[in-house]
Amino acid sequence: MSEKNNLLQQRKAQALPKGIGTLCDWYVARAENATLWDQDGNSWIDFAGGIAVLNTGHRHPRIEQAIAEQLTKFTHTAFQITPYESYIALAERINQRVPINGPAKTAFFTTGAEAVENAVKVARAYTRRHGIITFGNAFHGRTFMTMAMTGKVAPYKRDFGPMPPSVFHARYPSTVQGISIEAALTSLDEIFTQDIAPHDVAAIVLEPVQGEGGFHAAPAEFMVQLRELADRHGILLIADEVQSGFARTGKLFAMEHYPVKADIITMAKSLAGGMPLSAVAGRAEVMDAPSPGGLGGTYAGNPLAIASAHAVLDVIEEEQLCQRAVDLGARLEAELQVHQRRHPDIAEVRALGSMVAMEFYQSGTAQAVQKRAMEQGLLLLTCGAKGNVIRFLYPLTIPDAQFSQALTILSAVIDHCVASAGNPVVPA
């Protein structure tokens, strides 16, 4: 570590609480598309994407241009005080694309957790019920309500005392964890018989593809039965697409992969290409349930972020990033499947478009891969209940040559780490 980075590490330790954890011991100085540089000029290929925020890459020229143009007009008024046309226009664009039955309406906020909180508010206002059902290993945010909804204690819930009531966790289907569709549905029945009556449940909230939970995609059959269950009991179905949205899975929204639709969809992360913006979209009559003033926020729908989001939608369409996600994901999945056949420590490879994950039986192997990859110039993230999953969140705009370079690094890293752990290697 350089003297400059050492000094920054010391300043960080003195100035920031230890609860703010960081993966890297180096500090970014600049970035472009899929490349990061530190203050000493070292570079990394970014397969983290700011945790799924940069589907359109770092500093896309169209996004920079949109933000710069908005800077010449105004940076803030608070939409609830002095509204502006760009907010309305973005809502109209999302309403046209969001997979919701019938007319849709959209409200903007700032963070993913804020979007999920407001989706719960809307659901409770519409149904006049209080219960919320989410799933094990889910991640919905770090505010108190979204912590309660998150299906993982460490590090998100521990140390923070009692969580808000009326939140219940069902099981999420997972082949590698041995949770069948039937077992997941049975866990919902158990909640209805042991914890809360169906007529008191406002919403079932799930990620179509779990993010922090390990990139598990809900089986289509499960989603169909969940929709039927919700309809039977007058419960709203909320899809948390904060991580899975905006072309990552090969569709603008992951819910487009399913034959049923949600009543409400939350979104954030890659919505605005790195600017803080989130949204809640849903059936018009559902979204209209809160009274005027019940939704909003001082920074909600910031005009710079709104301008950036318009550019993001343009880039996704013009550069065909949904198809790009399918193509890149197929290349990565094929590479990982070769390693799965050779390395018995790899439990499963999962992919939906470019929402790709590789799960190891041993969490230590995943962490070793992450550490070794960083040493070789490739930035990766882990996830999963035990931290035993590598997830891949590269910008969909990454150049082909750089993507190939990253796969070469990744392949060598996997072989090295599996061999170092003493696990057997099956010849190709």
Side-chain angles (χ1 to χ4, degrees), residues 133-154:
I133 295 176
T134 63
F135 291 86
N137 297 325
F139 180 83
H140 295 291
R142 297 173 185 268
T143 58
F144 265 96
M145 186 64 192
T146 55
M147 274 196 297
M149 295 168 67
T150 291
K152 186 176 182 180
V153 172

Side-chain angles (χ1 to χ4, degrees), residues 362-399:
Q362 303 297 324
S363 60
T365 309
Q367 291 157 13
V369 167
Q370 181 187 51
K371 182 176 183 293
R372 176 76 175 180
M374 189 184 299
E375 293 169 352
Q376 300 300 310
L378 178 62
L379 184 61
L380 299 174
L381 295 179
T382 59
C383 63
K386 300 177 181 178
N388 60 327
V389 180
I390 299 290
R391 55 178 157 173
F392 301 91
L393 290 166
Y394 42 83
L396 303 177
T397 51
I398 185 172

Side-chain angles (χ1 to χ4, degrees), residues 317-335:
E317 181 178 352
E318 293 168 8
E319 300 186 17
Q320 300 179 24
L321 293 189
C322 288
Q323 184 59 49
R324 178 77 171 157
V326 172
D327 295 342
L328 293 175
R331 287 177 60 188
L332 175 56
E333 182 183 14
E335 181 75 22

Side-chain angles (χ1 to χ4, degrees), residues 73-294:
K73 299 174 181 177
F74 57 93
T75 61
H76 176 76
T77 67
F79 185 81
Q80 292 92 177
I81 305 302
T82 308
Y84 30 93
E85 187 271 342
S86 58
Y87 183 116
I88 299 169
L90 183 61
E92 289 171 338
R93 294 182 75 176
I94 290 175
N95 293 341
Q96 290 171 358
R97 293 297 307 272
V98 71
I100 294 289
N101 276 326
K105 289 189 174 183
T106 296
F108 295 107
F109 304 97
T110 309
T111 68
E114 197 178 353
V116 175
E117 290 253 358
N118 278 277
V120 169
K121 287 164 58 177
V122 169
R124 285 177 166 175
Y126 180 77
T127 62
R128 301 300 178 185
R129 303 174 179 183
H130 60 91
I132 301 295
I133 295 176
T134 63
F135 291 86
N137 297 325
F139 180 83
H140 295 291
R142 297 173 185 268
T143 58
F144 265 96
M145 186 64 192
T146 55
M147 274 196 297
M149 295 168 67
T150 291
K152 186 176 182 180
V153 172
Y156 306 114
K157 298 183 184 183
R158 68 182 181 195
D159 305 329
F160 299 124
M163 296 291 113
S166 298
V167 176
F168 308 93
H169 291 90
R171 305 184 78 191
Y172 193 98
S174 167
T175 302
V176 74
Q177 295 174 10
I179 303 173
S180 66
I181 294 173
E182 292 73 19
L185 292 170
T186 297
S187 72
L188 284 160
D189 288 337
E190 290 171 349
I191 288 173
F192 292 151
T193 57
Q194 299 173 14
D195 299 307
I196 186 171
H199 64 252
D200 285 327
V201 176
I204 297 171
V205 186
L206 85 161
E207 300 160 276
V209 185
Q210 287 194 326
E212 173 67 18
F215 281 26
H216 296 279
E221 180 188 347
F222 179 67
M223 195 71 79
V224 169
Q225 294 200 46
L226 206 58
R227 178 73 270 179
E228 191 278 328
L229 179 72
D231 290 341
R232 189 188 332 144
H233 296 294
I235 298 169
L236 295 180
L237 184 61
I238 300 176
D240 181 343
E241 292 236 31
V242 168
Q243 186 160 170
S244 61
F246 297 95
R248 174 54 55 181
T249 66
K251 304 283 188 181
L252 191 63
F253 296 98
M255 283 301 297
E256 294 180 67
H257 291 281
Y258 297 97
V260 296
K261 294 178 170 63
D263 299 296
I264 297 173
I265 293 180
T266 63
M267 59 200 83
K269 289 191 181 286
S270 279
L271 165 61
M275 297 294 286
L277 184 69
S278 64
V280 179
R283 293 194 286 121
E285 68 272 21
V286 173
M287 294 298 293
D288 278 338
S291 301

